[in-house]
Amino acid sequence: MKSARAVAHTNIALVKYWGKRESSPADLNLPAVGSLSLTLDRLRSETTVAPADQDSFHLNQEPASGEVAAKVLRHLDRVWQAAGHAGARPTCEVRSHNYLPTAAGLASSASGFAALTLAAAAAFEYDPGRPALSALARRGSGSAARSLWGGFVRLDRGVLPDGSDCRAYPLQPQSFWDVRLLIVHTEKGPKAIGSTAGMQRSRDTSPYYGPWVDTSEADLAAAEAALAARDLPVLGDILEHSCFKMHACMMASRPPIVYWRGATLDVIHAVWRLRAEGLRGYVTSDAGPHVKVLCAEDQAEELAVRLRAVPGVHAVDVVGPGPDPTVEVSA
Ligand code: ADP
Ligand code: DP6
Ligand code: CO
């Protein structure tokens, strides 16, 4: 094997993924709904995979253990198996750095598993092309399938039981539309319940889960058309609807899954107030307390200044559409 280093940018869903369909084996990780995302500039994971005497995983310079390390090593096994090499997987040293908060609802699993998939495949000299690598990244984390491309990306739900048609593809490149996403940070620290466990609870207990799944294809089709037309108000309406529908499904789970804090709602209402004043921002939020606001480039700074003044807001980052991932191999 070789040593390889990959950089993958995170992505935020404009039409959300929440829920998995049954699969055998369960770790195929097949989403119950398709999703549509924007890959982000700057927020990224950088991961190296190199041969070593024993397996190890370091995240942000710290040795990782437990499930965090186990998930990474299981993923190396998957990539090795997909590569079809004879014999046992070589032992590897994996090091990753997240240039974004980990497990805080800012999609570290997306950039993390996309970078890991790319670095491991290159280290194992396996090059099946990005669509197949996207399907492989999905098995590490559903949202990771979308971080194989920059710009605007769609992940289809797929219909095949082996998941081979469940992979992302690019809709529009990074240069297509110079929008901005404001990341409005409220609470610090990791989320109370991870996405994987939260989705399972919603599927098992939320009475809104069925309607959530049944209505998502229509949102995807409408969002794709609004994106192609660069129609911000129409896309904004769809992304808010998808976000609130997902959170309603989460909140109606038993016990309830409530990722929002008081400041989350204060920011949402502030965005709506500002919109009435002509600052056109549209809110979305994931499995965490932070709010993301999609807006036009020429209104981003003004919106950021106004949202920094909302009590409970720690910081507002302004990010644009991000690039494709990159991979480098050394001997
Ligand atoms: P997030 O909102 O950050 O995506 P998730 O609960 O979906 O939160 O996933 C967080 C988990 O993803 C972490 O606990 C860890 O297991 C994994 N993860 C995060 N970053 C990386 C990385 N760079 N490399 C490998 N795994 C990672
Ligand atoms: C709310 O991709 O983190 O951010 O597949 O179990 O790893 P796993 O889940 P993950 O879920 C992301 C959920 C979301 C919405 C989205 O990104 O589409
Ligand atoms: Co995640």
Side-chain angles (χ1 to χ4, degrees), residues 214-253:
D214 293 344
T215 55
S216 77
E217 277 300 311
D219 295 340
L220 277 167
E224 194 174 326
L227 171 64
R230 296 189 186 87
D231 191 328
L232 186 62
V234 171
L235 183 61
D237 173 67
I238 300 159
L239 76 91
E240 289 197 345
H241 179 60
S242 177
C243 165
F244 284 93
K245 212 161 43 174
M246 176 182 78
H247 281 275
C249 176
M250 292 167 167
M251 288 180 194
S253 305

Side-chain angles (χ1 to χ4, degrees), residues 10 45-47 57-60 67-69 71-72 94 96-98 100-113 115-116 141 143 191 193-196 286-288:
T10 192
S45 299
E46 298 189 0
T47 302
F57 176 50
H58 283 72
L59 181 57
N60 299 336
E67 189 52 18
V68 170
K71 280 197 289 189
V72 166
V94 182
S96 187
H97 197 90
N98 283 341
L100 77 167
T102 301
L106 295 166
S108 67
S109 67
S111 51
F113 278 94
L116 179 64
S141 177
S143 52
K191 58 179 93 164
I193 174 166
S195 303
T196 311
D286 292 283

Side-chain angles (χ1 to χ4, degrees), residues 5-20:
R5 174 176 175 276
V7 180
H9 287 243
T10 192
N11 69 79
I12 292 299
L14 306 179
V15 177
K16 301 294 186 189
Y17 148 52
W18 191 254
K20 300 172 197 274

Side-chain angles (χ1 to χ4, degrees), residues 95-137:
R95 292 182 169 270
S96 187
H97 197 90
N98 283 341
Y99 292 88
L100 77 167
T102 301
L106 295 166
S108 67
S109 67
S111 51
F113 278 94
L116 179 64
T117 304
L118 287 162
F124 299 154
E125 300 173 78
Y126 174 51
D127 185 11
R130 265 193 284 172
L133 290 172
S134 167
L136 202 48

Side-chain angles (χ1 to χ4, degrees), residues 170-209:
L171 288 179
Q172 304 290 355
Q174 181 184 15
S175 58
F176 174 73
W177 195 10
D178 200 18
V179 287
R180 291 291 177 271
L181 196 77
L182 309 188
I183 302 188
V184 186
H185 297 261
T186 55
E187 302 280 317
K188 287 198 170 69
K191 58 179 93 164
I193 174 166
S195 303
T196 311
M199 287 184 199
Q200 173 144 12
R201 190 188 295 173
S202 291
R203 185 183 70 186
D204 294 346
T205 66
S206 178
Y208 299 161
Y209 185 74

